[in-house]
Each structure stands twice: as C-alpha cells, then as structure tokens.
Amino acid sequence: CPRDGGVCPCRVSSVLNRDVKQFGKKHMFDASEETCWNSDQGTCQWVTLDFPRTVKVSQLHIQFQGGFSSRLCTLQGCRAGEELVKISDLYPEDTHAMQISFAPPRAGFQVEETVLDKLKITFENSTDFFGRIVVYHLGVLGERL
C-alpha cells in the first residue's frame, strides 16, 4: 500500500521509548535495511492496516530482527464497518530473513486469500524475554477490488 504512493493508515501497539523518529511504524514500509519498527516491551504487540480500498490479500511478507520476532502471529481482518474475525495463525521462524506467506496455504507460514478493508497482525509470543518485537519490513500483497 505505502510503496505505490498510496496512503495506508497504520497503527501499532507501541514504539520503543516513544521514539517514533528512530523506531516508528513508518520504517516497516520505507524499504530500508537500516530502519525498523521497534515495539516497547509487553505482551501481544500488534499492527493494524486500514486499506483505502477493499483488497484481496494473498501474501504477507515480514522481516523480523532475529531474537525479537514472534513465534505466533494471529491475523484478523474485516470489511468496513464489521468486527475483526480471525483469518489464520502464522508460525514464523526466529530469523532475520524475509519470510513470505502464500495463498493457497503452505506448511508453517501461511495466509488464506481473504477480501478485507482492515488487517490486524497480533504478535502473540515474542522470542524476546521482555516481549519486544522488531520488524524491518512488512508487506501485504494482493489485488485491489
């Protein structure tokens, strides 16, 4: 969404030390390998994306910092004006490598093709003792409807 010049409102649960300039949500979408979103400590960090138009999501790309990833990510989504519903659980690896989910699902890191206006990714189980999550890249691929 943000890559094509469009505006895709995004919210995050927290930012480390409230330092949005250095660790803010915008860094997940800037395509830089040097910047990242870094949550503050605490359980169940999350990211929500409000798409400007209805989309059919088919892939999710995410790059954590090893040691600050999530063993379980819950995806929820909804159409405009509806309540969030669970789409799927993802089980990423604790690595710095780019991880890509596909539809139709494949073992481990999978997402079901879903039509929605809002997507929420909840990081349920951080590999960091303090519950921090570090994301260098977050991408949602699919098509606009």
Side-chain angles (χ1 to χ4, degrees), residues 28-41:
M28 289 186 285
F29 310 106
D30 65 6
S32 171
E33 294 181 18
E34 311 252 331
T35 61
C36 60
W37 166 61
N38 193 332
S39 78
D40 217 331
Q41 62 186 21

Side-chain angles (χ1 to χ4, degrees), residues 115-135:
V115 174
L116 46 79
D117 294 292
K118 181 176 187 171
L119 176 67
K120 181 176 183 179
I121 306 165
T122 303
F123 305 105
E124 305 276 355
N125 191 354
S126 175
T127 57
D128 174 56
F129 179 78
F130 296 103
R132 295 169 293 190
I133 298 290
V134 177
V135 176

Side-chain angles (χ1 to χ4, degrees), residues 8-139:
C8 186
C10 172
R11 293 180 52 221
V12 293
S13 52
S14 65
V15 175
L16 184 64
N17 300 324
R18 296 186 178 155
D19 186 350
V20 295
K21 185 174 182 179
Q22 187 171 0
F23 300 117
K25 61 191 177 188
K26 67 181 181 259
H27 296 304
M28 289 186 285
F29 310 106
D30 65 6
S32 171
E33 294 181 18
E34 311 252 331
T35 61
C36 60
W37 166 61
N38 193 332
S39 78
D40 217 331
Q41 62 186 21
T43 56
C44 290
Q45 301 294 330
W46 51 264
V47 172
T48 60
L49 299 168
D50 289 299
F51 301 103
R53 291 185 11 200
T54 303
V55 296
K56 181 169 25 173
V57 173
S58 58
Q59 288 186 32
L60 178 73
H61 296 192
I62 192 161
Q63 181 180 18
F64 293 104
Q65 177 177 322
F68 295 89
S69 63
S70 181
R71 291 182 189 96
L72 169 62
C73 298
T74 301
L75 296 184
Q76 296 174 291
C78 64
R79 299 296 304 270
E82 296 178 359
E83 295 291 317
L84 288 168
V85 295
K86 184 174 177 177
I87 299 168
S88 63
D89 288 330
L90 305 179
Y91 300 93
E93 297 177 12
D94 185 18
T95 177
H96 189 70
M98 179 68 71
Q99 298 181 61
I100 302 172
S101 67
F102 295 92
R106 297 182 185 178
F109 196 63
Q110 58 195 26
V111 62
E112 294 180 21
E113 196 168 62
T114 308
V115 174
L116 46 79
D117 294 292
K118 181 176 187 171
L119 176 67
K120 181 176 183 179
I121 306 165
T122 303
F123 305 105
E124 305 276 355
N125 191 354
S126 175
T127 57
D128 174 56
F129 179 78
F130 296 103
R132 295 169 293 190
I133 298 290
V134 177
V135 176
Y136 279 85
H137 175 78
L138 177 64

